[in-house]
Amino acid sequence: MANAVILFGLCLYLSWIDFRHRRIPNRALGAGFVLISLMEYVLSSPTEWLMAGVFAILCLLVFGWISWHRPLALGMGDVKLLALVCYGLGVRDFVLVLTIASLAAFLVSLVLLLIRKVNIKCEVPFAPFVTIGLAVILYINRITR
C-alpha cells in the first residue's frame, strides 16, 4: 500500500509534466525507483523483492519492444513508467492499472475523435491515465480492507 501511495504521488507529478511537455523525466523515474526499492527492501522478503524486479524487467522488455517497433503508439517514458508501476505494485495490481488506464485512454480518445478535437494521428499522453488507474486501485484497496 505504501508503494502505491508513493507511485500515485509520483504519477501526479509525471502526469502534469507529460500533459504539458509530452515527456517523462528520467530523474523523476529514477527517484521513484530508489524510493520503491527502499520500501521493497524494508517491507518485503527478498524473494518478493526479486520477483518484483524480474516482472519489472519483463515489463520493460515487452513494452520496450512495442515502443521500438511502434514509437508513435507508446513512448519510452511510458515504458519506463509502466515498468516502475509493475515493480512497485506487483503483477496482479499492475494488470488492473494497465487495463483501467488503457480503457480510460481509449474512451477519452474516442470522445475527442467524435467531437473532432483531434485526428487519428494525434498523440495522447498516457501518464495521466496511469494515474487514474492507480487512483482506482488505491480506492479499491481502501474499500476492501
Side-chain angles (χ1 to χ4, degrees):
M1 185 66 154
N3 286 350
V5 173
I6 291 170
L7 283 170
F8 183 71
L10 179 67
C11 280
L12 283 175
Y13 169 71
L14 292 175
S15 295
W16 182 72
I17 296 292
D18 194 21
F19 190 74
R20 293 198 55 193
H21 301 288
R22 298 289 197 263
R23 61 181 303 272
I24 296 176
N26 287 333
R27 286 184 181 170
L29 291 170
F33 176 75
V34 169
L35 284 172
I36 297 297
S37 293
L38 288 172
M39 295 301 290
E40 287 284 334
Y41 180 74
V42 170
L43 297 177
S44 64
S45 69
T47 305
E48 291 175 3
W49 193 31
L50 181 63
M51 291 305 293
V54 168
F55 285 122
I57 290 170
L58 183 63
C59 176
L60 189 66
L61 291 173
V62 169
F63 289 115
W65 184 83
I66 293 169
S67 179
W68 181 266
H69 291 288
R70 302 276 185 204
L72 295 178
L74 189 66
M76 280 307 292
D78 296 324
V79 170
K80 293 178 274 190
L81 176 61
L82 290 173
L84 182 63
V85 170
C86 183
Y87 180 58
L89 294 181
V91 175
R92 185 184 57 121
D93 284 343
F94 169 72
V95 169
L96 289 172
V97 168
L98 183 62
T99 302
I100 293 165
S102 298
L103 183 62
F106 171 73
L107 292 174
V108 168
S109 298
L110 184 64
V111 168
L112 290 174
L113 282 169
L114 290 175
I115 63 172
R116 301 192 191 279
K117 288 286 185 185
V118 298
N119 62 17
I120 197 74
K121 298 282 185 181
C122 184
E123 295 177 11
V124 177
F126 195 60
F129 300 108
V130 173
T131 305
I132 291 169
L134 275 168
V136 170
I137 291 298
L138 282 170
Y139 182 72
I140 289 171
N141 284 341
R142 185 174 181 191
I143 287 176
T144 58
R145 290 188 187 215

